[in-house]
Short mmCIF file of all heavy atoms in Angstrom, two decimals:
data_model
loop_
_atom_site.label_atom_id
_atom_site.label_comp_id
_atom_site.label_asym_id
_atom_site.label_seq_id
_atom_site.Cartn_x
_atom_site.Cartn_y
_atom_site.Cartn_z
N ILE A 1 126.43 -30.92 114.91
CA ILE A 1 127.00 -31.29 116.21
C ILE A 1 127.50 -30.04 116.92
O ILE A 1 127.28 -29.85 118.13
CB ILE A 1 128.12 -32.33 116.03
CG1 ILE A 1 127.52 -33.70 115.70
CG2 ILE A 1 128.97 -32.43 117.29
CD1 ILE A 1 128.53 -34.78 115.41
N ASP A 2 128.17 -29.16 116.17
CA ASP A 2 128.60 -27.89 116.76
C ASP A 2 127.40 -27.08 117.23
O ASP A 2 127.45 -26.40 118.27
CB ASP A 2 129.43 -27.09 115.76
CG ASP A 2 130.78 -27.71 115.47
OD1 ASP A 2 131.23 -28.53 116.29
OD2 ASP A 2 131.37 -27.39 114.42
N GLN A 3 126.31 -27.13 116.47
CA GLN A 3 125.10 -26.41 116.85
C GLN A 3 124.52 -26.98 118.14
O GLN A 3 124.11 -26.22 119.04
CB GLN A 3 124.07 -26.50 115.72
CG GLN A 3 122.87 -25.60 115.89
CD GLN A 3 121.90 -25.73 114.73
OE1 GLN A 3 121.08 -26.65 114.70
NE2 GLN A 3 121.98 -24.80 113.78
N LEU A 4 124.48 -28.30 118.25
CA LEU A 4 124.01 -28.93 119.48
C LEU A 4 124.86 -28.51 120.68
O LEU A 4 124.34 -28.18 121.76
CB LEU A 4 124.03 -30.45 119.33
CG LEU A 4 122.94 -31.09 118.46
CD1 LEU A 4 123.27 -32.55 118.18
CD2 LEU A 4 121.57 -30.99 119.16
N LYS A 5 126.17 -28.52 120.50
CA LYS A 5 127.07 -28.16 121.60
C LYS A 5 126.87 -26.71 122.01
O LYS A 5 126.97 -26.36 123.19
CB LYS A 5 128.52 -28.42 121.19
CG LYS A 5 128.86 -29.90 121.08
CD LYS A 5 130.32 -30.12 120.70
CE LYS A 5 130.66 -31.60 120.66
NZ LYS A 5 132.08 -31.83 120.29
N SER A 6 126.60 -25.84 121.01
CA SER A 6 126.37 -24.43 121.34
C SER A 6 125.09 -24.26 122.16
O SER A 6 124.92 -23.25 122.86
CB SER A 6 126.28 -23.60 120.06
OG SER A 6 125.11 -23.91 119.32
N GLU A 7 124.18 -25.24 122.06
CA GLU A 7 122.93 -25.21 122.82
C GLU A 7 123.07 -25.96 124.15
O GLU A 7 122.09 -26.13 124.87
CB GLU A 7 121.81 -25.83 122.00
CG GLU A 7 121.52 -25.06 120.71
CD GLU A 7 120.55 -25.80 119.79
OE1 GLU A 7 120.07 -26.89 120.22
OE2 GLU A 7 120.29 -25.33 118.67
N GLY A 8 124.26 -26.43 124.44
CA GLY A 8 124.52 -27.12 125.70
C GLY A 8 124.30 -28.61 125.66
O GLY A 8 124.40 -29.29 126.69
N ILE A 9 124.04 -29.16 124.47
CA ILE A 9 123.84 -30.62 124.34
C ILE A 9 125.16 -31.24 123.91
O ILE A 9 125.53 -31.19 122.73
CB ILE A 9 122.73 -30.94 123.32
CG1 ILE A 9 121.43 -30.25 123.71
CG2 ILE A 9 122.52 -32.46 123.21
CD1 ILE A 9 120.31 -30.42 122.69
N THR A 10 125.88 -31.81 124.84
CA THR A 10 127.18 -32.41 124.53
C THR A 10 127.18 -33.92 124.76
O THR A 10 128.14 -34.60 124.38
CB THR A 10 128.27 -31.78 125.41
OG1 THR A 10 127.94 -31.99 126.80
CG2 THR A 10 128.39 -30.28 125.14
N HIS A 11 126.11 -34.44 125.36
CA HIS A 11 126.07 -35.88 125.65
C HIS A 11 124.63 -36.35 125.64
O HIS A 11 123.74 -35.67 126.15
CB HIS A 11 126.70 -36.17 127.01
CG HIS A 11 126.64 -37.62 127.39
ND1 HIS A 11 127.40 -38.60 126.80
CD2 HIS A 11 125.86 -38.27 128.32
CE1 HIS A 11 127.13 -39.78 127.33
NE2 HIS A 11 126.19 -39.60 128.26
N ILE A 12 124.40 -37.52 125.06
CA ILE A 12 123.08 -38.15 125.05
C ILE A 12 123.26 -39.58 125.54
O ILE A 12 124.12 -40.32 125.04
CB ILE A 12 122.46 -38.13 123.64
CG1 ILE A 12 122.23 -36.68 123.19
CG2 ILE A 12 121.15 -38.92 123.62
CD1 ILE A 12 121.71 -36.55 121.78
N GLU A 13 122.47 -39.95 126.53
CA GLU A 13 122.60 -41.28 127.11
C GLU A 13 122.29 -42.37 126.09
O GLU A 13 121.46 -42.20 125.21
CB GLU A 13 121.63 -41.42 128.30
CG GLU A 13 121.98 -40.55 129.50
CD GLU A 13 123.28 -40.96 130.15
OE1 GLU A 13 123.62 -42.16 130.08
OE2 GLU A 13 123.96 -40.08 130.72
N ARG A 14 123.00 -43.47 126.24
CA ARG A 14 122.70 -44.62 125.38
C ARG A 14 121.39 -45.27 125.81
O ARG A 14 121.00 -45.21 126.97
CB ARG A 14 123.84 -45.66 125.47
CG ARG A 14 125.18 -45.14 124.98
CD ARG A 14 126.21 -46.26 125.02
NE ARG A 14 127.54 -45.74 124.73
CZ ARG A 14 128.64 -46.49 124.71
NH1 ARG A 14 128.54 -47.80 124.97
NH2 ARG A 14 129.80 -45.95 124.45
N TRP A 15 120.74 -45.91 124.83
CA TRP A 15 119.50 -46.60 125.12
C TRP A 15 119.79 -47.88 125.88
O TRP A 15 120.75 -48.59 125.60
CB TRP A 15 118.77 -46.93 123.82
CG TRP A 15 117.37 -47.45 124.03
CD1 TRP A 15 116.23 -46.74 124.03
CD2 TRP A 15 117.00 -48.81 124.29
NE1 TRP A 15 115.14 -47.53 124.25
CE2 TRP A 15 115.59 -48.82 124.43
CE3 TRP A 15 117.71 -50.00 124.43
CZ2 TRP A 15 114.88 -49.99 124.70
CZ3 TRP A 15 117.00 -51.16 124.71
CH2 TRP A 15 115.60 -51.15 124.84
N ASP A 16 118.92 -48.18 126.90
CA ASP A 16 118.94 -49.50 127.52
C ASP A 16 117.50 -49.87 127.85
O ASP A 16 116.57 -49.12 127.55
CB ASP A 16 119.86 -49.54 128.74
CG ASP A 16 119.46 -48.54 129.81
OD1 ASP A 16 118.25 -48.31 129.98
OD2 ASP A 16 120.36 -47.97 130.46
N ALA A 17 117.32 -51.00 128.48
CA ALA A 17 115.97 -51.51 128.70
C ALA A 17 115.13 -50.59 129.57
O ALA A 17 113.90 -50.60 129.49
CB ALA A 17 116.03 -52.91 129.32
N THR A 18 115.79 -49.81 130.43
CA THR A 18 115.04 -48.91 131.31
C THR A 18 115.02 -47.49 130.80
O THR A 18 114.40 -46.62 131.39
CB THR A 18 115.69 -48.92 132.71
OG1 THR A 18 117.03 -48.46 132.61
CG2 THR A 18 115.65 -50.31 133.30
N HIS A 19 115.70 -47.24 129.68
CA HIS A 19 115.82 -45.88 129.15
C HIS A 19 114.94 -45.74 127.92
O HIS A 19 115.04 -46.53 126.99
CB HIS A 19 117.28 -45.58 128.79
CG HIS A 19 117.46 -44.23 128.15
ND1 HIS A 19 117.33 -43.07 128.86
CD2 HIS A 19 117.75 -43.89 126.88
CE1 HIS A 19 117.54 -42.04 128.05
NE2 HIS A 19 117.79 -42.52 126.83
N LYS A 20 114.08 -44.76 127.92
CA LYS A 20 113.21 -44.50 126.78
C LYS A 20 113.73 -43.29 126.03
O LYS A 20 114.38 -42.42 126.60
CB LYS A 20 111.77 -44.25 127.24
CG LYS A 20 111.20 -45.38 128.06
CD LYS A 20 111.09 -46.64 127.25
CE LYS A 20 110.43 -47.75 128.03
NZ LYS A 20 111.24 -48.24 129.15
N VAL A 21 113.42 -43.22 124.77
CA VAL A 21 113.85 -42.09 123.96
C VAL A 21 113.14 -40.84 124.44
O VAL A 21 111.91 -40.78 124.45
CB VAL A 21 113.54 -42.34 122.48
CG1 VAL A 21 113.97 -41.14 121.64
CG2 VAL A 21 114.24 -43.59 122.01
N SER A 22 113.87 -39.83 124.85
CA SER A 22 113.29 -38.61 125.38
C SER A 22 112.79 -37.72 124.26
O SER A 22 113.51 -37.48 123.30
CB SER A 22 114.34 -37.85 126.20
OG SER A 22 113.88 -36.55 126.51
N PRO A 23 111.56 -37.19 124.37
CA PRO A 23 111.08 -36.27 123.34
C PRO A 23 111.97 -35.04 123.21
O PRO A 23 112.13 -34.49 122.14
CB PRO A 23 109.67 -35.89 123.84
CG PRO A 23 109.27 -36.99 124.77
CD PRO A 23 110.53 -37.46 125.41
N GLN A 24 112.56 -34.61 124.36
CA GLN A 24 113.43 -33.45 124.29
C GLN A 24 114.68 -33.72 123.48
O GLN A 24 115.22 -32.85 122.80
CB GLN A 24 113.82 -32.99 125.71
CG GLN A 24 112.68 -32.37 126.51
CD GLN A 24 111.73 -33.42 127.05
OE1 GLN A 24 112.07 -34.61 127.11
NE2 GLN A 24 110.53 -32.98 127.43
N GLN A 25 115.15 -34.96 123.60
CA GLN A 25 116.35 -35.30 122.82
C GLN A 25 115.99 -35.55 121.37
O GLN A 25 116.81 -35.37 120.48
CB GLN A 25 117.01 -36.55 123.41
CG GLN A 25 117.60 -36.28 124.79
CD GLN A 25 118.01 -37.55 125.49
OE1 GLN A 25 117.62 -38.64 125.08
NE2 GLN A 25 118.79 -37.42 126.54
N ASN A 26 114.72 -35.94 121.12
CA ASN A 26 114.20 -36.05 119.74
C ASN A 26 115.14 -36.85 118.85
O ASN A 26 115.58 -36.38 117.82
CB ASN A 26 113.98 -34.65 119.16
CG ASN A 26 113.17 -34.73 117.86
OD1 ASN A 26 112.44 -35.68 117.66
ND2 ASN A 26 113.32 -33.74 117.01
N ILE A 27 115.45 -38.05 119.28
CA ILE A 27 116.38 -38.85 118.50
C ILE A 27 115.61 -39.60 117.42
O ILE A 27 115.49 -40.81 117.44
CB ILE A 27 117.16 -39.82 119.40
CG1 ILE A 27 117.74 -39.06 120.59
CG2 ILE A 27 118.28 -40.49 118.64
CD1 ILE A 27 118.50 -39.93 121.54
N GLU A 28 115.05 -38.84 116.51
CA GLU A 28 114.44 -39.41 115.32
C GLU A 28 115.46 -39.32 114.21
O GLU A 28 116.08 -38.28 114.05
CB GLU A 28 113.18 -38.63 114.93
CG GLU A 28 112.59 -39.09 113.62
CD GLU A 28 111.52 -38.12 113.13
OE1 GLU A 28 111.29 -37.10 113.80
OE2 GLU A 28 110.96 -38.38 112.07
N THR A 29 115.68 -40.38 113.49
CA THR A 29 116.70 -40.37 112.45
C THR A 29 116.12 -40.75 111.12
O THR A 29 115.10 -41.42 111.05
CB THR A 29 117.84 -41.35 112.79
OG1 THR A 29 117.33 -42.65 112.63
CG2 THR A 29 118.36 -41.15 114.17
N ASN A 30 116.79 -40.31 110.11
CA ASN A 30 116.34 -40.60 108.75
C ASN A 30 117.27 -41.53 108.03
O ASN A 30 116.96 -41.98 106.95
CB ASN A 30 116.24 -39.32 107.95
CG ASN A 30 115.22 -38.38 108.55
OD1 ASN A 30 114.72 -38.64 109.63
ND2 ASN A 30 114.93 -37.32 107.86
N GLU A 31 118.44 -41.77 108.59
CA GLU A 31 119.35 -42.73 107.96
C GLU A 31 119.33 -43.95 108.85
O GLU A 31 119.73 -43.88 110.00
CB GLU A 31 120.75 -42.15 107.84
CG GLU A 31 120.78 -41.00 106.90
CD GLU A 31 122.17 -40.48 106.72
OE1 GLU A 31 122.97 -41.14 106.05
OE2 GLU A 31 122.47 -39.42 107.25
N ALA A 32 118.84 -45.02 108.38
CA ALA A 32 118.57 -46.16 109.23
C ALA A 32 119.60 -47.23 109.07
O ALA A 32 120.09 -47.45 108.01
CB ALA A 32 117.21 -46.72 108.88
N ALA A 33 119.90 -47.89 110.17
CA ALA A 33 120.80 -49.02 110.12
C ALA A 33 119.97 -50.27 110.34
O ALA A 33 119.35 -50.43 111.37
CB ALA A 33 121.87 -48.90 111.18
N SER A 34 119.92 -51.09 109.38
CA SER A 34 119.08 -52.29 109.42
C SER A 34 119.50 -53.20 110.55
O SER A 34 120.67 -53.37 110.83
CB SER A 34 119.19 -53.03 108.09
OG SER A 34 118.64 -54.30 108.21
N SER A 35 118.50 -53.76 111.23
CA SER A 35 118.80 -54.69 112.32
C SER A 35 119.49 -55.94 111.80
O SER A 35 120.09 -56.68 112.56
CB SER A 35 117.50 -55.07 113.04
OG SER A 35 116.61 -55.66 112.12
N THR A 36 119.39 -56.16 110.52
CA THR A 36 120.07 -57.32 109.94
C THR A 36 121.48 -56.99 109.51
O THR A 36 122.18 -57.85 109.01
CB THR A 36 119.29 -57.82 108.71
OG1 THR A 36 119.27 -56.78 107.73
CG2 THR A 36 117.86 -58.16 109.08
#
């Protein structure tokens, strides 16, 4: 998180129906939260 902030990334928009995951933001995760 400190590394992201040092690169100027301090905020990432929340997902909504009109918002798609930006490749630049690269919000790929490896720890998953089950929809259930």
Side-chain angles (χ1 to χ4, degrees):
I1 286 176
D2 291 340
Q3 190 179 82
L4 286 168
K5 290 181 177 180
S6 69
E7 298 171 3
I9 303 175
T10 59
H11 177 72
I12 297 176
E13 293 293 331
R14 298 184 187 179
W15 189 94
D16 59 35
T18 60
H19 176 71
K20 303 296 184 292
V21 179
S22 169
Q24 289 77 17
Q25 293 169 344
N26 192 25
I27 310 179
E28 174 192 1
T29 71
N30 298 8
E31 294 184 73
S34 167
S35 59
T36 62

